[in-house]
């Protein structure tokens, strides 16, 4: 059994400068009974000593809470972003893997806030198609984490070279200094396709409207930062629909161990996808089925993802 990307329907785009935002509807049942509110997650530096790549978290909600890779965790000793998507059980406490997005600060308060802001696709995935050195298997985990962090810092530095320096080299500075009108969500909408500079950059897809609503403004605002790096031209709707057609029906890998919540991914020459899957009960006495909680998909060939 595989997790499959369902049929996608793309609406009319909204264009501002180099950014075009397309609403997406999904031919799949809504998955509810989840808490998507970033405010339900209490985040703090490690009690035994702050570490760049690890934070402590507690789910304050009485429902399972979804935390997404790319969520900004602001404050603490430095601003971070969540390094992996995950689902926390009600009242669960656990460590969160993090990536620093503020290289020039180390010190401050212990607690972070999560308000739904997102790191942009360039910050999260730029230059991922580049070749990286092969390392010994015994050292791979630690070295890959360090390599991923250095690439995030490199991307933010490249953005600041183009858009202006900040005092602490924080990506949040780029979010704070812009003004963007976020298009309203449309009834039934569960996803968004991002076009930048006339080409599709990627998609974020959710299992419910409430999931999308929790991150929608953050997705658009971070995409607007990426758009400032590109030519201010609109992306045609047919390119968004072609991207949706290329995605739907694709099988995603992951979940073989039988866990309820699991990471999914697919990596082709042109399209990369990563997200969270879930096992849901079928009909009466029927088998469980696989559904998608969240998916991020990228067109690797977009010039900004290749260049930054």
């Amino acid at each position: 059994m595989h997790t499959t990307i369902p049929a996608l329907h793309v609406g009319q785009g909204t264009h501002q400068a180099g950014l075009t935002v397309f609403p997406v509807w999904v031919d799949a049942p809504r998955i509810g009974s989840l808490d998507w509110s970033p405010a339900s997650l209490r985040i703090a530096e490690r009690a035994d000593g702050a570490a760049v790549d690890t934070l402590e978290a507690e789910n304050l909600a009485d429902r399972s809470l979804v935390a997404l890779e790319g969520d900004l965790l602001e404050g603490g000793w430095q601003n971070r972003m969540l390094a992996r998507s995950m689902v926390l059980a009600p009242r669960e406490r656990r460590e969160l893997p993090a990536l620093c997005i503020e290289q020039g600060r180390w010190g401050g308060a212990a607690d972070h806030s999560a308000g739904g802001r997102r790191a942009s696709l360039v910050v999260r995935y730029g230059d991922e198609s580049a070749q990286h050195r092969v390392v010994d298997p015994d050292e791979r985990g630690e070295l890959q984490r360090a390599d991923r962090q250095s690439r995030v810092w490199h991307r933010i530095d490249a953005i600041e070279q183009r858009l202006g320096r900040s005092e602490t080299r924080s990506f949040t500075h780029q979010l704070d200094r812009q003004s963007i009108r976020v298009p309203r969500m449309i009834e039934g909408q569960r996803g968004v396709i991002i076009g930048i500079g006339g080409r599709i950059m990627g998609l974020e897809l959710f299992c419910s409207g409430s999931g999308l609503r929790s991150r929608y403004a953050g997705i658009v605002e971070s995409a607007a930062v990426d758009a400032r790096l590109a030519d201010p031209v609109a992306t045609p709707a047919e390119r968004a629909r072609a991207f949706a057609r290329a995605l739907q029906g694709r099988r995603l890998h992951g979940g073989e161990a039988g866990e309820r919540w699991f990471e999914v991914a697919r990596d082709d020459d042109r399209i990369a996808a990563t997200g969270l899957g879930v096992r849901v009960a079928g009909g009466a006495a029927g088998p469980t089925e696989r559904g998608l909680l969240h998916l991020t998909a990228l067109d690797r060939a977009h010039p900004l993802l290749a260049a930054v």
Side-chain angles (χ1 to χ4, degrees):
M1 182 185 296
H2 295 273
T3 307
T4 302
I5 300 176
L8 307 174
H9 305 280
V10 181
Q12 182 177 354
T14 301
H15 174 65
Q16 300 177 69
L19 173 65
T20 311
V21 177
F22 298 92
V24 177
W25 290 264
V26 185
D27 274 351
R30 174 185 177 275
I31 300 174
S33 301
L34 293 164
D35 194 311
W36 289 90
S37 173
S40 294
L41 194 63
R42 176 185 291 157
I43 306 157
E45 302 289 352
R46 287 175 47 171
D48 60 350
V52 171
D53 63 354
T54 309
L55 295 166
E56 293 182 350
E58 179 184 4
N59 177 9
L60 303 177
D62 294 322
R63 294 184 295 173
S64 295
L65 173 68
V66 184
L68 295 178
E69 180 273 330
D71 281 349
L72 294 190
L73 313 172
E74 301 181 52
W77 282 39
Q78 60 185 188
N79 295 331
R80 320 297 216 284
M81 71 175 181
L82 190 61
R84 286 177 54 195
S85 296
M86 60 185 64
V87 179
L88 286 77
R91 304 294 172 177
E92 179 183 1
R93 297 185 181 187
R94 73 159 71 171
E95 291 189 343
L96 295 181
L99 290 161
C100 169
I101 60 157
E102 186 182 21
Q103 190 176 5
R105 179 171 72 92
W106 184 247
D111 293 338
H112 288 71
S113 63
R117 297 217 289 184
R118 305 277 282 151
S120 75
L121 293 178
V122 166
V123 170
R124 291 154 63 191
Y125 300 115
D127 74 10
E128 285 296 312
S129 60
Q131 294 296 315
H132 303 296
R133 62 193 179 97
V134 177
V135 298
D136 184 272
D138 293 334
E139 302 177 2
R140 183 175 294 134
E142 181 176 350
L143 287 176
Q144 283 188 342
R145 285 193 297 272
D147 187 41
R148 189 179 179 194
Q149 177 63 82
S150 68
R151 296 202 306 271
V152 169
W153 282 336
H154 166 77
R155 295 167 200 151
I156 294 173
D157 183 67
I159 290 171
E160 291 207 331
Q161 287 184 40
R162 296 277 301 277
L163 303 183
R165 296 291 186 183
S166 61
E167 183 178 352
T168 60
R169 289 174 284 172
S170 175
F171 176 71
T172 60
H173 170 76
Q174 304 301 335
L175 293 173
D176 293 340
R177 69 192 297 263
Q178 71 176 3
S179 176
I180 183 75
R181 179 177 56 82
V182 178
R184 67 178 182 85
M185 283 181 56
I186 303 172
E187 184 175 357
Q189 180 182 346
R190 284 170 33 191
V192 60
I193 288 178
I194 299 297
I196 291 179
R199 298 181 59 169
I200 298 303
M201 178 174 280
L203 161 147
E204 287 211 42
L205 196 67
F206 293 76
C207 67
S208 66
S210 58
L212 174 60
R213 193 172 297 108
S214 70
R215 305 301 198 282
Y216 180 62
I219 293 169
V220 175
E221 289 166 357
S222 66
V225 175
D226 289 348
R228 290 163 58 203
L229 304 170
D231 293 334
V233 297
T235 302
E238 181 49 40
R239 289 193 172 183
R241 297 187 179 108
F243 186 70
R245 289 194 298 269
L247 280 175
Q248 61 190 19
R250 289 189 180 229
R251 292 180 173 182
L252 301 168
H253 308 295
E256 290 79 8
E259 62 271 47
R260 184 182 181 191
W261 320 101
F262 51 90
E263 292 178 282
V264 294
R266 179 163 179 144
D267 197 356
D268 298 332
D269 290 340
R270 182 67 180 262
I271 294 177
T274 182
L276 282 174
V278 59
R279 282 183 168 80
V280 294
T288 60
E289 299 176 354
R290 294 188 182 205
L292 269 178
L293 289 184
H294 175 262
L295 187 74
T296 299
L298 305 170
D299 184 346
R300 285 190 178 279
H302 194 285
L304 287 182
L305 293 177
V308 176

